[in-house]
Amino acid sequence: MLHLIGYFAAIFIGLSLGIMGGGGSILTVPVLVYLMGVSPVLSTAYSLFVVGTTSVVGAAGYFRKGLVSVPTALVFLATSLGAVFATRKLLMPAIPQQLFTVGRVAFTKDLLVLVAFAVLMVVAATSMIRSRQAEEILHDDEQHRHRVNYPLILAVGAIVGLLTGFVGAGGGFLIIPALVLFARLPMKLAVGTSLLIIATNSLIGFTGDLSAGTPIDWLFLSGFLAFALGGIVLGTYLARFISGARLKPAFGWFTLFMGTFILLRELVFR
């Protein structure tokens, strides 16, 4: 029964990516862990593949509309690609399974990944809940364009690469503001460019897992991906009629609930 709910959730992940241009990927790891029974560390690898492939489909749709800035994406990826690949190939395998104990809670590698992911969910949820005010600020900033801040783009790229590699999420809630504020891209162009960055980062990160010898259940992963792809195709169609900006706050509250649930479940009610 949980697996059926998990496949339905995969459709929802793709749906949210198609409508909002991001956000849905933050749910991939919790769905894989709590509904599909995949270990947290392996879930981050699977998430990279699912998020990367679905984002390719989303980015292709924006590219056809001329809403992807390839030069800006290349600048951003100059630091993020190396960070995400190194994190998956070198950092993740180097983290010991048993870390430390705090009170009654024994921190393992799996628990560290889940806690880090839950914290990221809370941060992302806050960003989505406040999306209307944030987008007003970003749109106002578009009226006052200055030169592109390449050092900050490169710095944010490295941070996003590290986060993507560690928790298996795309990081669109960081990428889009960075592209608008530092690369001076209009909002719609920033969303399309963000999907290209997320796709490239995620798939390169997944190759780090492959080169590190991570065991992959391709049959299961392909099936889960198929449902997510169906969701993003449907979401891209529905985006013509549904405003992603209106959905973001509600999705943000749901993400906040999920992040809080994970923290309580793993740290308080273990």
Side-chain angles (χ1 to χ4, degrees):
M1 181 62 181
L2 284 180
H3 278 208
L4 291 177
I5 298 173
Y7 286 120
F8 177 79
I11 298 174
F12 179 73
I13 290 167
L15 195 66
S16 63
L17 277 169
I19 295 175
M20 297 186 295
S25 63
I26 202 74
L27 296 179
T28 309
V29 167
V31 167
L32 288 170
V33 172
Y34 296 112
L35 296 179
M36 310 305 285
V38 182
S39 72
V41 174
L42 184 58
S43 290
T44 62
Y46 284 6
S47 177
L48 288 172
F49 183 74
V50 173
V51 170
T53 307
T54 52
S55 295
V56 166
V57 175
Y62 277 86
F63 192 84
R64 285 193 295 269
K65 300 173 185 175
L67 293 175
V68 175
S69 174
V70 175
T72 305
L74 291 176
V75 173
F76 199 99
L77 291 167
T79 51
S80 64
L81 282 184
V84 70
F85 184 83
T87 301
R88 297 308 301 184
K89 180 172 176 59
L90 303 175
L91 177 60
M92 294 301 287
I95 298 176
Q97 191 58 42
Q98 301 295 326
L99 296 170
F100 53 86
T101 300
V102 177
R104 296 183 296 108
V105 180
F107 268 79
T108 62
K109 182 178 182 178
D110 282 344
L111 180 58
L112 177 65
V113 168
L114 281 177
V115 169
F117 196 89
V119 170
L120 185 66
M121 289 182 77
V122 171
V123 174
T126 303
S127 173
M128 286 185 278
I129 292 168
R130 301 176 61 187
S131 63
R132 184 164 299 177
Q133 298 96 315
E135 286 181 11
E136 287 176 1
I137 293 172
L138 293 179
H139 281 300
D140 289 342
D141 188 78
E142 289 176 20
Q143 306 301 318
H144 308 284
R145 297 187 180 279
H146 307 290
R147 65 183 179 84
V148 176
N149 196 325
Y150 289 110
L152 278 176
I153 294 174
L154 293 171
V156 175
I159 293 170
V160 168
L162 179 64
L163 287 175
T164 298
F166 191 74
V167 300
F173 73 99
L174 285 175
I175 297 172
I176 292 175
L179 292 176
V180 174
L181 293 173
F182 306 140
R184 308 295 169 185
L185 297 185
M187 182 63 71
K188 288 185 178 180
L189 189 59
V191 171
T193 306
S194 173
L195 282 172
L196 176 60
I197 292 169
I198 291 170
T200 309
N201 267 340
S202 299
L203 293 177
I204 291 297
F206 185 69
T207 64
D209 281 285
L210 294 179
S211 64
T214 302
I216 305 296
D217 184 344
W218 287 105
L219 183 61
F220 164 77
L221 188 55
S222 299
F224 190 88
L225 174 64
F227 283 92
L229 288 175
I232 199 168
V233 170
L234 178 61
T236 302
Y237 172 76
L238 292 177
R240 305 175 189 177
F241 315 104
I242 302 174
S243 170
R246 291 177 179 269
L247 289 179
K248 271 190 177 181
F251 187 80
W253 283 110
F254 178 71
T255 304
L256 180 62
F257 169 79
M258 289 297 299
T260 304
F261 166 78
I262 293 172
L263 288 173
L264 292 174
R265 185 183 190 279
E266 299 299 333
L267 297 179
V268 179
F269 300 115
R270 283 182 69 85

